[in-house]
Amino acid sequence: ARRATRGRMANSKYEYVKQYELDDTLLPGCWIVVRIDGKGFTKFSDLHGFEKPNDKRALDLMDECAKEVMNEFPDVRLAYGESDEYSFVLGRDTNMYGRRASKIVSLLVSCFTATYVARWSAHLPDTPLRATPMFDGRAVCYPLDRHLRDYLAWRQADTHINNQYNTCFWALVKGGKSPAEAQAVLRGTQAAFKNELLFRDFGINYAHLPDQFKKGSVVIRQKALLEVKRREDGSPVLRERSVPTVMHADIIRDDFWEAHPQLLGA
Amino acid sequence: ARRATRGRMANSKYEYVKQYELDDTLLPGCWIVVRIDGKGFTKFSDLHGFEKPNDKRALDLMDECAKEVMNEFPDVRLAYGESDEYSFVLGRDTNMYGRRASKIVSLLVSCFTATYVARWSAHLPDTPLRATPMFDGRAVCYPLDRHLRDYLAWRQADTHINNQYNTCFWALVKGGKSPAEAQAVLRGTQAAFKNELLFRDFGINYAHLPDQFKKGSVVIRQKALLEVKRREDGSPVLRERSVPTVMHADIIRDDFWEAHPQLLGA
Amino acid sequence: ARRATRGRMANSKYEYVKQYELDDTLLPGCWIVVRIDGKGFTKFSDLHGFEKPNDKRALDLMDECAKEVMNEFPDVRLAYGESDEYSFVLGRDTNMYGRRASKIVSLLVSCFTATYVARWSAHLPDTPLRATPMFDGRAVCYPLDRHLRDYLAWRQADTHINNQYNTCFWALVKGGKSPAEAQAVLRGTQAAFKNELLFRDFGINYAHLPDQFKKGSVVIRQKALLEVKRREDGSPVLRERSVPTVMHADIIRDDFWEAHPQLLGA
Amino acid sequence: ARRATRGRMANSKYEYVKQYELDDTLLPGCWIVVRIDGKGFTKFSDLHGFEKPNDKRALDLMDECAKEVMNEFPDVRLAYGESDEYSFVLGRDTNMYGRRASKIVSLLVSCFTATYVARWSAHLPDTPLRATPMFDGRAVCYPLDRHLRDYLAWRQADTHINNQYNTCFWALVKGGKSPAEAQAVLRGTQAAFKNELLFRDFGINYAHLPDQFKKGSVVIRQKALLEVKRREDGSPVLRERSVPTVMHADIIRDDFWEAHPQLLGA
C-alpha cells in the first residue's frame, strides 16, 4: 500500500479480521519452483494468429518476460519455459517474503504478466492485443537436488514430446488433413514413426528444427559487459554484470549442471 | 498449457514430481476475499509523477482493472479499492477452480496487472510507463456475513483515515513544510483537528472532497442497457446486461447492503 | 516438557530446525469438529469378544472417555459418539492452543485413549486388554451453524443406518446364515424391509431397541448437584456444578437445539 | 469405524459436509519427525511422586511406549526420547496413511498414550495412576539428512543441558536451599562450574551418572533371537527378528550413524 505516513486510528474495531489471514509459509530448506501457465492460450493464440506449431515471436516474448522476472527478483536462480508456461526456481535458502507462497507466486505472476503486455507490441508489432493475457501460478517445494533436476527434466521431456507431436499434427493439417484425421494418423505412434513421417512426407528433418522449439528456453545469469553510462566523448563505459541470459540447452543430462555448478550450489 | 493434442509418452519416469504439488483448497462455505496490493507503489508513483495526495487518473485506472477482473470472473461479486490496493469478494458457494488458493489468487492478480499495463496510456496519456507495475495477492476466508462486512468496513475506514492524513500532510508540504515537520504537526492528532487545519490554513473543506478519495471505489454489477450490435440502418440494438459499475458509496453502514440484497444472498 | 527451570545454553547451533515447524492454525470464527475413530476395531472387537451387533459395555466405555475429554477441555461444548467413533465440537470463538490443529487433535485423542485403557477393566472386568487400542483424529472447520447441525445429523443418520443393518446382519448370522448369505439377503433393501425381517423372523421390534444403539450418545454439560466435600458429621456438601452428561437424544430435529440454546449460542 | 458391512442409504443429504475435510498431506521426499510431549508433566510428576531430577521408572515406561509405537508402526525408523517427550522418525519415502499429518500424529500419540497407561503399573507398581496422562504431538518435515541429524542433535543437546542443570538444582534443593536460592546460584553459569559444584559440594561425578539420564534414549531396530513358539518338549524355537531396542548412545557425532547406515539409507 502507498501512504505518505501511516495515520493509525480508531480502525481497531474491525482489525480482528486480520487474524483470518492464515500463514502459508513454504517449508524451509527446499527448492521452490513457481510454475506459471497461460490461461486459455489455445484460444488466445488463435485470436492473435500465432503461427503453428510454434510462433517464434510469442516464444521470444515469453523469454523476455522470464528475464524481467529474474531482473526484478534476484532470488530466482533459473527459469525454464516452453509454449505458454514458465517455471522459476528459487534457492533452498531463499527467504524472499518469508517464503510466503501467495506473496511469491502472485508477484512472479504479476511481473510476468505486466511484461507480457508491455512488451507485446515490440514482439508482435503488427498484431494488436485483443484480449487480456492471463497466467496462473503455483509454488511447489522439492527437498532434494535430484527432485529439482527431475522436475526440470519432466518439463523439458514434455517440451520435446509436445513439439514433435505438434510439428507432425500441423504438417498434416497444413497438408490437407482435418484435425481429426491428423490425430488418427498420430494416435499411439512412436518418436521414430513421427520423425520418418516428417521427413518422408514433408521433407522436414526434425533434428534441424530450432533448439528453441525442441528444447525450450533456459534462463540463467551469465557474466556480460553492460554499458553502465557514457563518457563525455560519447564512448560507452562497460562493466561486467550478471545478466539473465536465454539458452536452448539440454537440462536433462549432467553436462549443463556441471558447466554451471553455481545453480545447485549453496 | 497450449497444445494441439496431447502426445503422452515416456515422460513417466519424471512424473512422480507432480505428487509434490500439495492441495491448497480454501475452506468451503466461506466468503473468499482476494486482496491485491501494489508492490513499491510509493516509489512507483514518484517515478511517474502521480499527483498527491490522490491522482484521479491512477485511481480511475485501478477501477478499470477491477471492472475487467469482474468481467473475466463472474464469481467475483463485489470489489472494493483504495489507493494501490483492491479487494475482490467471491461468494460462499463458489467452486471457481475448485477453490484452489493459488489458482484463484494468481489469475485475479494476472488479470488486474495485464489490464493495468494495457490501459495505462488511456488514463495517463502523457506519462510513459517506466517501470514494471506489480501487485501481490492473497486469499482470506470469512465464515460469516458479519466478518465480510467488517473486513470491508476495515478497508473503507482505512481509506478515510489515510486520506484525511495524506490530505493534511501534502497540504502542509506544498505549503512549505518539510516532510518531517508535517509529520510532527500531525502526530497523534484527531479527525476534528485535521479537518480544522485543512479549513483554517488551506481553505479546504474536507467534506467537499470527491467521494472517490474519501470513500474509495466499490464495484458491483448493475443492470444497464448495452449496445450489443447495430441494425442495418446503423441504429444500435440495446439489451439489458449486468455490468460492473463503480460507485463511491458508504459500505460500512447497512443502507448499501439493504439496497443490494443480492450481494450477501445465496 | 518437564523442567525444573530452563537451562538455556549453547544449543543455538541446532535451533534453526525449529523454523521447520509450520503453522497449522484452524480458521477463526468457525466451529471446530474433532472426530476420532478406532483403528482396526473390527479386529479389536473380535479379539475381545464384543457382543454383536452392539456391546453395551464397550459403548459405555466410549461414553466415559468422551465425558473425561469434556472434563479436561472446557472448550468442548458437545460430543457425539457411535460405535468406535466420537466427534467433539469446539465453539466458534475458542482460542484453545491458539486453534493449532495438531495440538488440539493430539490432546483430545490422547485424553480419550488414556481413559479408554484406564477405565477398561471397570467396564469389561472379565476381559483382559490384549491389544493396544488406538484412535486416529482429525479436525474439520464448519463456518455456519447449519453446517455443524448437518455434520451431526450426518453422523446420527449413519448410526441409524449402520445399526439397522448390523442388527439384521447379526440376527441372520446368529440364525445360521453365513456372513456372505446374510449380506446377500440385505443387499439393496430398504428400512421397511429390514424392520419387517427383524420382526417376522426374529421377533425383534426395532423401535424397542435401546436408544443408545439406535441414536448413539450425545454428551453435553448439565447442571447437577455434586458432592464437593463432607462435613465433620459425615454428611455431604452438595453444590450445583455443570457436568458432562450422556443422552441418547435425537440431534437431527430442532427440538434438541431449542431445548439447549446455549450449544449454538455465542 | 467398525461395521459388519456398510449399509449406505439416504444419508446423502448430509454428506456434503465431508468436503470440509481439507487435505493435510506432508510434503513427499522429506523426513517426517513426530514429536510428542507430555501435557502438564511438572504437575503430573509431582502428583505421582516422581524422583528428582530423574525417575528411572518413569523413563523406562516412556521407553517402553516408544518401543510399542515402533512395533505397531514399521515405518518409524528411529525414536529419541528424554524426560516427558519422544520424537519418532519416519523415512523419506514412507507412504503411511498417504502422509496425512493428522492421521499419523494422532495414531502415534494414541499408541504411545495407551501404552503409557497400560504399562504404568508394571513400572510404578506402588503408585496408583491418579490423573489422565496426556501427550500432544506434531509433525515436522526435514528435507535433508543434515536437517534430521541436526534436529536429533538439538534434542540430545537439550537433554544434556537440562539434565546438568536439573542435577545441580535438585542437589541444591535437597541440600537445603529454596528453589529460588538454587536458581540464583545457577543463573548464567557454565558447564564447568556446574560439574565442579556437583563434585565439590555433593560428591557427584557427573560423568558417572547413568547414560539414560545424560544422553536420553534412542530406539532402533536390532537383530535379536526371539522365541516364536515352543516345541512339544517345551524347548523354545528361536528365530532372528528385528526388534526395537533401547540404547543410550551419542547421536550427535558421526559414529552412531556410521554404525547404523540403514537409518539414513533409502
Side-chain angles (χ1 to χ4, degrees):
Chain A
R2 168 171 59 95
R3 293 178 182 89
T5 323
R6 179 63 64 96
R8 271 285 142 245
M9 214 191 65
N11 209 350
S12 53
K13 172 181 167 187
Y14 302 123
E15 279 198 331
Y16 78 91
V17 299
K18 284 195 69 171
Q19 298 166 8
Y20 287 72
E21 299 180 6
L22 300 181
D23 183 76
D24 66 346
T25 303
L26 296 165
L27 188 68
C30 293
W31 295 102
I32 299 173
V33 174
V34 176
R35 183 168 74 248
I36 76 174
D37 202 39
K39 175 177 185 287
F41 259 54
T42 301
K43 192 175 158 195
F44 183 86
S45 62
D46 286 347
L47 184 65
H48 294 95
F50 282 9
E51 289 164 29
K52 306 291 186 176
N54 295 287
D55 188 311
K56 183 170 167 39
R57 303 165 303 167
L59 293 175
D60 287 347
L61 174 55
M62 293 286 290
D63 292 347
E64 187 170 354
C65 296
K67 284 193 288 184
E68 175 66 4
V69 168
M70 291 184 67
N71 275 325
E72 289 282 346
F73 301 101
D75 285 23
V76 176
R77 289 190 175 199
L78 172 147
Y80 174 74
E82 58 155 325
S83 182
D84 64 342
E85 74 167 54
Y86 239 103
S87 298
F88 297 93
V89 179
L90 285 84
R92 289 180 176 288
D93 296 329
T94 184
N95 197 29
M96 179 178 158
Y97 298 105
R99 300 178 77 92
R100 278 178 291 157
S102 58
K103 199 91 173 171
I104 292 171
V105 169
S106 58
L107 283 172
L108 264 55
V109 163
S110 190
C111 181
F112 196 96
T113 308
T115 310
Y116 197 89
V117 176
R119 301 294 299 156
W120 172 273
S121 66
H123 290 272
L124 293 99
D126 304 322
T127 310
L129 190 55
R130 296 175 56 199
T132 307
M134 285 181 242
F135 298 86
D136 68 35
R138 80 182 63 201
V140 191
C141 287
Y142 289 107
L144 299 181
D145 296 354
R146 169 50 47 199
H147 300 143
L148 177 65
R149 288 276 310 268
D150 285 350
Y151 172 83
L152 292 165
W154 177 51
R155 300 322 304 145
Q156 192 167 52
D158 193 66
T159 303
H160 170 67
I161 293 164
N162 281 316
N163 187 57
Q164 199 179 42
Y165 183 95
N166 290 340
T167 304
C168 292
F169 177 86
W170 287 104
L172 290 164
V173 168
K174 288 173 184 174
K177 295 230 183 296
S178 72
E181 288 167 344
Q183 285 172 29
V185 170
L186 297 172
R187 190 165 297 130
T189 63
Q190 300 298 312
F193 171 88
K194 294 200 192 77
N195 278 341
E196 198 178 312
L197 172 86
L198 287 173
F199 191 68
R200 192 192 56 211
D201 294 1
F202 302 100
I204 298 172
N205 186 333
Y206 186 80
H208 293 174
L209 293 181
D211 276 343
Q212 185 177 20
F213 301 169
K214 290 183 300 181
K215 297 202 170 76
S217 298
V218 194
V219 193
I220 62 175
R221 288 190 183 79
Q222 298 273 69
K223 298 279 183 219
L225 286 177
L226 278 200
E227 180 186 321
V228 292
K229 60 176 178 181
R230 292 201 165 241
R231 294 194 192 81
E232 284 184 14
D233 65 1
S235 65
V237 178
L238 302 178
R239 290 279 183 279
E240 197 182 67
R241 290 285 183 272
S242 199
V243 182
T245 309
V246 176
M247 301 170 171
H248 309 294
D250 183 315
I251 56 173
I252 298 181
R253 276 178 289 189
D254 294 338
D255 308 36
F256 174 80
W257 302 95
E258 287 163 3
H260 306 287
Q262 79 285 3
L263 292 175
L264 295 179
Chain B
R2 170 171 57 97
R3 291 175 183 91
T5 323
R6 178 63 66 97
R8 272 283 144 246
M9 215 193 64
N11 210 351
S12 52
K13 172 179 168 188
Y14 302 123
E15 279 198 332
Y16 78 91
V17 299
K18 284 195 68 171
Q19 299 165 7
Y20 288 72
E21 298 179 5
L22 300 181
D23 184 75
D24 66 347
T25 304
L26 296 165
L27 187 66
C30 294
W31 294 102
I32 300 172
V33 174
V34 176
R35 182 169 73 248
I36 77 175
D37 202 38
K39 174 176 185 286
F41 259 55
T42 301
K43 193 174 159 196
F44 183 88
S45 61
D46 285 347
L47 184 64
H48 294 94
F50 283 7
E51 289 163 30
K52 306 290 186 181
N54 295 287
D55 188 312
K56 182 169 167 40
R57 303 164 305 165
L59 293 175
D60 287 346
L61 174 55
M62 293 288 289
D63 292 347
E64 185 169 356
C65 295
K67 285 192 286 184
E68 174 66 5
V69 168
M70 290 183 67
N71 276 324
E72 289 282 346
F73 300 100
D75 285 22
V76 176
R77 289 189 177 201
L78 171 147
Y80 174 75
E82 58 156 325
S83 181
D84 63 342
E85 75 167 53
Y86 239 102
S87 298
F88 297 93
V89 178
L90 286 84
R92 288 180 176 286
D93 296 328
T94 184
N95 197 30
M96 179 178 158
Y97 297 105
R99 300 179 77 93
R100 277 178 292 158
S102 58
K103 199 91 172 172
I104 292 171
V105 169
S106 58
L107 283 173
L108 263 55
V109 163
S110 191
C111 181
F112 195 96
T113 309
T115 309
Y116 197 90
V117 177
R119 302 294 300 157
W120 171 273
S121 66
H123 290 273
L124 294 99
D126 304 323
T127 310
L129 189 56
R130 296 176 57 198
T132 307
M134 285 181 244
F135 298 86
D136 68 35
R138 80 181 62 202
V140 191
C141 288
Y142 290 106
L144 299 183
D145 296 353
R146 167 55 42 201
H147 301 142
L148 177 65
R149 288 276 310 266
D150 285 350
Y151 172 82
L152 292 165
W154 177 50
R155 299 324 302 145
Q156 192 167 50
D158 194 66
T159 303
H160 169 67
I161 294 164
N162 282 315
N163 187 57
Q164 198 178 42
Y165 184 94
N166 290 340
T167 303
C168 293
F169 177 86
W170 287 105
L172 290 164
V173 168
K174 288 174 184 173
K177 295 233 182 297
S178 73
E181 290 167 342
Q183 284 172 31
V185 169
L186 296 172
R187 190 166 297 131
T189 62
Q190 300 298 312
F193 172 88
K194 295 201 192 77
N195 278 341
E196 195 176 315
L197 172 86
L198 286 175
F199 192 69
R200 190 192 57 209
D201 292 1
F202 302 100
I204 299 172
N205 186 333
Y206 186 78
H208 293 175
L209 292 181
D211 277 342
Q212 185 177 22
F213 300 169
K214 291 183 298 182
K215 297 202 169 77
S217 298
V218 195
V219 193
I220 62 174
R221 288 190 182 80
Q222 298 274 70
K223 298 281 183 216
L225 286 177
L226 278 200
E227 177 185 323
V228 292
K229 59 178 178 181
R230 292 203 166 239
R231 294 196 192 81
E232 283 183 14
D233 65 2
S235 65
V237 178
L238 302 179
R239 291 278 182 279
E240 198 183 65
R241 290 283 183 275
S242 198
V243 182
T245 308
V246 176
M247 302 169 168
H248 309 295
D250 183 317
I251 57 174
I252 298 181
R253 277 178 289 188
D254 294 337
D255 309 34
F256 174 80
W257 302 95
E258 288 164 2
H260 306 287
Q262 80 284 5
L263 292 174
L264 295 178
Chain C
R2 169 171 57 99
R3 293 177 181 89
T5 322
R6 179 63 66 96
R8 270 286 140 244
M9 217 192 62
N11 210 351
S12 53
K13 172 180 168 188
Y14 302 123
E15 280 199 331
Y16 78 91
V17 299
K18 283 195 68 171
Q19 298 165 7
Y20 287 73
E21 298 179 6
L22 300 181
D23 183 75
D24 65 347
T25 303
L26 297 165
L27 187 67
C30 294
W31 295 102
I32 300 173
V33 173
V34 176
R35 182 169 72 248
I36 76 175
D37 201 39
K39 175 176 183 287
F41 259 54
T42 301
K43 194 175 158 194
F44 183 87
S45 61
D46 286 348
L47 183 65
H48 294 93
F50 283 8
E51 289 164 31
K52 306 289 185 181
N54 294 288
D55 189 312
K56 184 171 166 39
R57 303 165 304 166
L59 293 175
D60 287 347
L61 174 56
M62 293 287 290
D63 291 348
E64 186 170 353
C65 296
K67 285 192 286 184
E68 174 66 5
V69 168
M70 289 182 68
N71 275 324
E72 289 281 348
F73 300 101
D75 285 22
V76 176
R77 291 188 175 200
L78 171 147
Y80 174 76
E82 58 155 325
S83 182
D84 63 341
E85 74 167 53
Y86 238 103
S87 298
F88 297 93
V89 178
L90 286 84
R92 289 180 176 287
D93 296 328
T94 184
N95 197 29
M96 178 177 159
Y97 297 107
R99 300 180 77 95
R100 279 178 291 158
S102 58
K103 199 90 173 173
I104 292 171
V105 170
S106 58
L107 283 172
L108 264 55
V109 163
S110 191
C111 180
F112 195 95
T113 308
T115 309
Y116 197 89
V117 177
R119 300 296 298 157
W120 171 273
S121 65
H123 290 273
L124 295 99
D126 305 322
T127 310
L129 190 56
R130 297 176 57 199
T132 306
M134 284 182 242
F135 298 86
D136 68 35
R138 81 183 60 203
V140 190
C141 288
Y142 289 106
L144 299 183
D145 296 354
R146 168 54 44 201
H147 301 142
L148 176 65
R149 288 276 311 267
D150 285 350
Y151 171 83
L152 291 165
W154 178 51
R155 299 324 302 144
Q156 192 167 50
D158 194 65
T159 303
H160 170 67
I161 293 165
N162 281 316
N163 187 56
Q164 198 178 42
Y165 183 94
N166 289 340
T167 303
C168 292
F169 176 85
W170 288 104
L172 289 165
V173 168
K174 289 173 183 173
K177 294 232 184 295
S178 73
E181 288 168 343
Q183 283 173 32
V185 170
L186 297 172
R187 190 165 297 129
T189 62
Q190 300 297 312
F193 172 88
K194 294 201 191 76
N195 279 342
E196 196 177 315
L197 171 84
L198 286 174
F199 191 69
R200 191 191 56 208
D201 294 0
F202 302 99
I204 299 172
N205 186 332
Y206 186 80
H208 292 174
L209 293 180
D211 276 344
Q212 186 178 21
F213 300 168
K214 290 184 298 182
K215 296 202 170 78
S217 298
V218 194
V219 194
I220 62 174
R221 288 190 183 79
Q222 298 274 71
K223 297 281 183 217
L225 287 177
L226 278 199
E227 177 186 322
V228 291
K229 61 176 178 182
R230 292 200 166 243
R231 295 195 190 79
E232 285 182 14
D233 64 1
S235 64
V237 177
L238 302 179
R239 288 281 182 278
E240 198 183 66
R241 290 285 183 271
S242 197
V243 182
T245 308
V246 176
M247 302 169 170
H248 310 295
D250 183 317
I251 57 174
I252 298 181
R253 276 178 288 189
D254 293 338
D255 309 36
F256 175 81
W257 303 95
E258 287 163 2
H260 305 286
Q262 79 285 5
L263 292 174
L264 295 179
Chain D
R2 168 170 59 97
R3 291 176 183 90
T5 323
R6 179 61 67 97
R8 270 286 143 247
M9 218 192 63
N11 209 349
S12 53
K13 173 180 167 189
Y14 302 123
E15 279 199 329
Y16 78 91
V17 299
K18 284 195 67 170
Q19 299 165 10
Y20 287 72
E21 298 180 7
L22 300 181
D23 183 76
D24 65 347
T25 303
L26 296 165
L27 188 67
C30 293
W31 296 101
I32 299 173
V33 173
V34 176
R35 183 169 73 247
I36 75 176
D37 202 40
K39 174 176 184 287
F41 259 55
T42 301
K43 192 174 157 195
F44 183 88
S45 61
D46 286 347
L47 183 66
H48 294 94
F50 283 8
E51 289 164 29
K52 305 292 186 179
N54 295 287
D55 188 312
K56 184 171 166 38
R57 303 165 304 166
L59 293 175
D60 287 347
L61 174 56
M62 293 287 290
D63 292 348
E64 187 171 353
C65 296
K67 284 193 287 184
E68 174 65 5
V69 168
M70 290 183 67
N71 276 324
E72 290 282 348
F73 300 101
D75 285 23
V76 176
R77 291 188 175 201
L78 172 148
Y80 174 75
E82 58 154 325
S83 181
D84 63 342
E85 74 167 53
Y86 239 102
S87 298
F88 297 93
V89 179
L90 286 85
R92 289 180 176 288
D93 296 328
T94 185
N95 198 28
M96 179 177 158
Y97 298 105
R99 301 179 76 93
R100 278 178 291 158
S102 58
K103 198 92 174 171
I104 292 171
V105 169
S106 57
L107 283 172
L108 264 56
V109 163
S110 190
C111 180
F112 195 96
T113 308
T115 309
Y116 198 89
V117 177
R119 302 295 299 156
W120 172 273
S121 65
H123 290 273
L124 294 99
D126 304 323
T127 310
L129 189 55
R130 297 176 55 199
T132 306
M134 284 182 244
F135 298 86
D136 68 36
R138 80 181 64 202
V140 190
C141 287
Y142 289 107
L144 298 182
D145 296 354
R146 169 51 44 202
H147 301 143
L148 177 66
R149 289 276 309 269
D150 285 350
Y151 171 83
L152 291 165
W154 178 51
R155 299 323 303 145
Q156 193 167 51
D158 193 66
T159 303
H160 170 67
I161 294 164
N162 282 316
N163 187 57
Q164 200 179 41
Y165 183 94
N166 290 340
T167 304
C168 292
F169 176 86
W170 288 105
L172 291 163
V173 167
K174 289 173 185 175
K177 295 231 183 299
S178 73
E181 289 167 343
Q183 284 173 30
V185 170
L186 297 171
R187 189 165 297 128
T189 62
Q190 300 298 311
F193 172 87
K194 294 201 192 76
N195 278 342
E196 198 178 313
L197 170 84
L198 286 174
F199 192 69
R200 192 192 57 208
D201 293 0
F202 302 100
I204 298 172
N205 186 332
Y206 186 80
H208 292 174
L209 292 181
D211 276 343
Q212 186 178 20
F213 300 169
K214 291 183 299 182
K215 296 203 170 75
S217 298
V218 195
V219 194
I220 62 174
R221 288 190 182 79
Q222 297 275 69
K223 298 281 183 215
L225 287 177
L226 277 201
E227 179 187 320
V228 292
K229 59 176 178 182
R230 293 203 165 240
R231 293 196 192 79
E232 286 184 11
D233 64 2
S235 65
V237 178
L238 303 178
R239 290 279 182 277
E240 197 182 68
R241 290 284 184 271
S242 198
V243 182
T245 309
V246 176
M247 302 170 169
H248 308 295
D250 183 315
I251 57 173
I252 298 180
R253 277 179 286 189
D254 293 338
D255 308 36
F256 174 80
W257 302 95
E258 288 163 2
H260 305 286
Q262 79 284 6
L263 291 174
L264 295 179

